[in-house]
Amino acid sequence: MQSSLRLAIPSKGALDSDTRAFLAASGLKVSRPNERQYVGSIPSVPHISVLFQRAPDIFTKVREGSADLGITGYDVVREMGVDHDDVITIRERLGYGKCQLVLAVPDSWLDVNSIEDLADLTLSFKEKGRELRIATKYPNLTRQWLYQKRVIYFSLVEAHGAMEAAPSMGYADAIADVTSTGTTLRENRLKPISGGTMLDSQACLIGNKRLLARDPEKLNTTKLMLELIEAQMEAKKYISISANVQGNSDDEVGKSLMQNQELAGVAGLRGPTVSKVYSGSGENNWYAVTIVVEEKRLMDAVKHLRNAGGQDITVFSPKYVFREKSQNYLEFLEKLDLDGKFEEIARA
């Protein structure tokens, strides 16, 4: 009986819905019979059990081994990942859940607009016998970042929940917290300082190195997931364009599309696919041309096809783009430190 891979994902909030939408787009739709159940499944991959957890707890579940893989915020991983070698970041950017960890001060501090101003303020506070108090649930990241900025006279107040109220409630002078739009900061009369962004974060995929390295079946399931995720994310960059072009042969049509070197990148990933069109009109000199190009080159490619006599141009978005090998999976195997078995497993 094949061992089941346990995948922990957020149980509530925007990261919950965004994660399920992301997995569904990758062909890994999650089934959760009702919101009170904390174990679900992925019907398309029967050997995956889905565990619904609070996003801040997912790192801990992966670290202690009650989950093999987890999807959570990169901010959480960076904050809790210090000195935990068993947890590896498999894919740092999944493309959603984007936010920034910033240092924010009260709007009323008119003379404090940058990290340099804040450093001067801490010296002023020190002369008066006090320290700048910063409320945060990211003490490791905040402390390390402030030291890197050579700000040393401060104290951290560990807080959870709505810490934007900390300055107005009087238990901190400033805050270090994540924000995606800045709206909550503004509505609480706080402002981020220039140069005060500590980290750009988004959802990421992590795994337990020890558990995955010793179980070939879990490795195979992880490979399947990474292949689908990578191909789905890669597909977002490309479009497929088809057109009908007249010519004397498929070879002539293909060469006409490839001959202009200035058009590199708009004639397909490897070149155009050309095939005969059998129409009922009696005209037998039509060929269907299909090219796959980066979406940002759409109009360049359309112009290129028109210049070659292209008509009836249609555009589609591919769902997946698979490369020769999954780069994510190869990088993942390297991180597992498989004691010389890397090449053998990578070829499998």
Side-chain angles (χ1 to χ4, degrees):
M1 182 177 177
Q2 183 169 344
S3 57
S4 180
L5 183 141
R6 299 157 300 173
L7 168 67
I9 67 172
S11 58
K12 60 178 67 173
L15 210 51
D16 166 29
S17 55
D18 289 351
T19 296
R20 285 200 262 179
F22 173 81
L23 290 173
S26 302
L28 300 165
K29 187 175 182 179
V30 174
S31 172
R32 186 181 190 182
N34 67 64
E35 296 302 309
R36 293 183 180 180
Q37 289 189 353
Y38 290 93
V39 179
S41 63
I42 296 179
S44 62
V45 187
H47 304 299
I48 297 179
S49 296
V50 180
L51 312 174
F52 296 93
Q53 297 287 316
R54 290 191 328 129
D57 295 338
I58 288 175
F59 181 91
T60 303
K61 298 300 180 186
V62 172
R63 184 194 68 203
E64 68 186 19
S66 53
D68 301 293
L69 299 176
I71 294 177
T72 187
Y74 186 59
D75 54 315
V76 174
V77 176
R78 286 289 305 277
E79 173 63 23
M80 302 182 71
V82 179
D83 299 327
H84 292 296
D85 292 339
D86 275 349
V87 181
I88 54 174
T89 303
I90 299 172
R91 179 139 189 159
E92 191 175 307
R93 296 180 177 85
L94 294 179
Y96 65 93
K98 295 179 180 178
C99 61
Q100 294 179 317
L101 175 61
V102 302
L103 192 59
V105 301
D107 275 339
S108 57
W109 290 10
L110 300 179
D111 295 332
V112 180
N113 296 300
S114 67
I115 184 60
E116 291 79 13
D117 295 337
L118 192 78
D120 291 341
L121 183 67
T122 62
L123 295 175
S124 176
F125 276 17
K126 182 176 182 293
E127 290 174 358
K128 296 174 182 176
R130 57 168 295 199
E131 290 181 327
L132 179 75
R133 300 165 301 163
I134 303 173
T136 185
K137 56 184 177 184
Y138 300 91
N140 293 327
L141 285 173
T142 303
R143 185 182 301 106
Q144 181 184 42
W145 184 82
L146 286 170
Y147 284 164
Q148 288 174 349
K149 298 296 181 183
R150 302 189 178 186
V151 178
I152 56 176
Y153 300 115
F154 64 89
S155 61
L156 298 179
V157 181
E158 288 202 41
H160 298 277
M163 70 182 62
E164 288 85 356
S168 61
M169 293 176 69
Y171 68 85
D173 303 301
I175 70 167
D177 199 8
V178 291
T179 179
S180 54
T181 64
T183 302
T184 305
L185 291 178
R186 289 192 295 274
E187 290 183 347
N188 286 279
R189 299 180 180 179
L190 297 170
K191 61 181 180 181
I193 59 173
S194 174
T197 298
M198 302 180 193
L199 180 73
D200 287 309
S201 176
Q202 57 182 272
C204 67
L205 176 66
I206 60 175
N208 185 299
K209 177 180 175 180
R210 177 174 47 83
L211 294 178
L212 294 170
R214 71 187 187 192
D215 191 325
E217 293 174 343
K218 290 183 178 179
L219 273 184
N220 282 334
T221 307
T222 303
K223 179 182 181 182
L224 184 150
M225 282 187 61
L226 289 178
E227 288 260 27
L228 289 169
I229 287 172
E230 181 177 349
Q232 182 265 135
M233 295 185 73
E234 190 72 6
K236 293 179 179 177
K237 304 175 187 174
Y238 296 98
I239 51 175
S240 175
I241 308 175
S242 295
N244 290 324
V245 179
Q246 278 186 307
N248 294 317
S249 69
D250 53 357
D251 192 50
E252 178 188 277
V253 172
K255 286 180 178 177
S256 71
L257 289 164
M258 294 293 291
Q259 63 185 357
N260 191 341
Q261 294 299 317
E262 295 179 358
L263 294 170
V266 297
L269 296 178
R270 302 284 182 189
T273 300
V274 182
S275 57
K276 182 77 174 173
V277 174
Y278 293 91
S279 68
S281 63
E283 294 181 296
N284 292 320
N285 60 343
W286 283 97
Y287 292 85
V289 174
T290 300
I291 56 176
V292 177
V293 301
E294 290 185 88
E295 187 171 14
K296 62 185 178 183
R297 303 296 305 274
L298 169 62
M299 293 314 298
D300 291 334
V302 168
K303 180 180 178 182
H304 180 46
L305 289 168
R306 282 174 172 164
N307 289 340
Q311 299 181 18
D312 312 321
I313 299 173
T314 55
V315 181
F316 302 92
S317 297
K319 185 171 183 179
Y320 300 103
V321 172
F322 290 95
R323 300 295 187 182
E324 181 182 4
K325 292 182 179 178
S326 167
Q327 190 62 34
N328 275 180
Y329 183 62
L330 295 178
E331 292 171 358
F332 163 65
L333 290 180
E334 287 185 359
K335 291 177 181 177
L336 286 186
D337 189 17
L338 292 168
D339 195 24
K341 298 180 180 177
F342 171 80
E343 294 294 338
E344 177 185 345
I345 295 175
R347 285 196 299 270

